[in-house]
Amino acid sequence: MLAASIAALVLATTTSGLDTARIEKLTGAQGASGADGVFRVSVPRSELDVYAGQIRVTPPMGMTAWAAFKKADKGDVVTGELVLLEEQLAAAESAAVEGGLEVSGVDHHFVGESPRLIFVHFSGQGEEAALATAVGKAFDAVRAKVESSGPQLAQLETTHKPLDFKKLEATLGSGKVVDGVFRIERARPVKLRGQTVGAEMGAASWAALAGSDDAAAVSGAFAVQEAELGAVLKSARAQGLTVTSIEAPFAGEQPHLRLVHFWATGTSDKLAAAVKSGLAQLK
């Protein structure tokens, strides 16, 4: 039996051209060889009790993190998906971006599930060990235990200084104040079905800050072209912004746009600087 196992391992490695044993070791996940020389490792989230409606969601229903490796002329290629609790999102994004993986999507796959799940899609190309190491660190974020305290109600503290709108404008440029919220919008026009589509139709970056100078929150989205996505994600994580989703707002527009939605809390100065850094990545 041992000889048969060794022979199977050698055959899988030879067929794919990949060191499958090394990939499993570096990712900390078991894998299997498939068609077209692909070797796929997976981390089923079987430890989670997730319900959608009255149905318990199980790993075969789409609750399995995975990464698929394939040999290529200019370095191995990897694609994959992370299945995360909300509390794991920031660490997983940082691990993927810092490891050189390209995050191409952040989204939801279920409706009304509890606890809420977020899915991070990624890809990359390079040396096998480096890719497997990066995937392993991302998988570590998947495996990390978290304690969710559930929603917390915050009370307004009158000791906090209100937002200094002039200071925010000095950092971010002109904006509008609506119901105490400072909001900026920067158009990113595209051509859609022969027409110019601009900010009023959703082709824009925006950010909205609320709260006080020392306890603020920001939400918003960067309107990015494909070539800018990596730089924007690196800037967001370096500046403490959590990317909550990446989506395509249109179909067939030129150039193609992605909306990178983000959220963060902190001092207004820090949040404004983070937004400015993200906007600076846009050409």
Side-chain angles (χ1 to χ4, degrees), residues 23-194:
I23 291 174
E24 287 186 323
K25 181 178 180 180
L26 293 175
T27 60
Q30 293 185 334
S33 296
D36 300 323
V38 173
F39 184 70
R40 178 167 168 147
V41 294
S42 60
V43 180
R45 298 304 308 266
S46 54
E47 82 282 9
L48 299 179
D49 287 319
V50 177
Y51 288 84
Q54 297 180 341
I55 303 298
R56 186 175 188 272
V57 183
T58 59
M61 298 174 72
M63 218 172 69
T64 297
W66 60 271
F69 294 80
K70 185 175 183 178
K71 206 72 178 175
D73 293 338
K74 297 182 180 180
D76 295 352
V77 173
V78 66
T79 62
E81 178 179 88
L82 306 177
V83 184
L84 304 160
L85 296 171
E86 289 186 342
E87 294 85 353
Q88 298 170 319
L89 179 59
E93 288 177 346
S94 290
V97 171
E98 291 170 5
L101 301 174
E102 297 177 359
V103 174
S104 55
V106 180
D107 53 31
H108 300 280
H109 292 186
F110 302 103
V111 175
E113 79 278 10
S114 181
R116 195 76 188 275
L117 295 179
I118 300 178
F119 296 78
V120 173
H121 303 263
F122 65 85
S123 63
Q125 185 168 19
E127 195 271 326
E128 178 182 282
L131 289 178
T133 299
V135 170
K137 291 181 179 179
F139 280 176
D140 285 343
V142 173
R143 302 184 187 99
K145 292 184 178 180
V146 296
E147 293 184 8
S148 176
S149 57
Q152 295 182 352
L153 299 179
Q155 294 183 348
L156 179 65
E157 302 240 357
T158 57
T159 56
H160 290 322
K161 296 180 180 179
L163 284 176
D164 187 333
F165 300 125
K166 290 185 178 180
K167 187 189 296 185
L168 292 177
E169 283 199 336
T171 301
L172 295 172
S174 61
K176 295 181 179 180
V177 178
V178 181
D179 295 331
V181 176
F182 178 79
R183 180 184 171 102
I184 64 165
E185 191 170 63
R186 302 290 179 261
R188 201 79 195 272
V190 295
K191 286 288 187 180
L192 179 64
R193 294 174 175 81

Side-chain angles (χ1 to χ4, degrees), residues 223-270:
V224 308
Q225 296 177 13
E226 292 286 347
E228 302 163 342
L229 182 57
V232 167
L233 291 175
K234 287 181 180 179
S235 172
R237 290 309 310 141
Q239 297 291 330
L241 300 178
T242 297
V243 174
T244 56
S245 70
I246 301 174
E247 62 186 24
F250 311 110
E253 79 282 5
Q254 291 294 329
H256 184 53
L257 282 187
R258 298 281 196 92
L259 292 183
V260 179
H261 292 267
F262 57 85
W263 165 265
T265 58
T267 64
S268 62
D269 285 349
K270 180 180 178 180

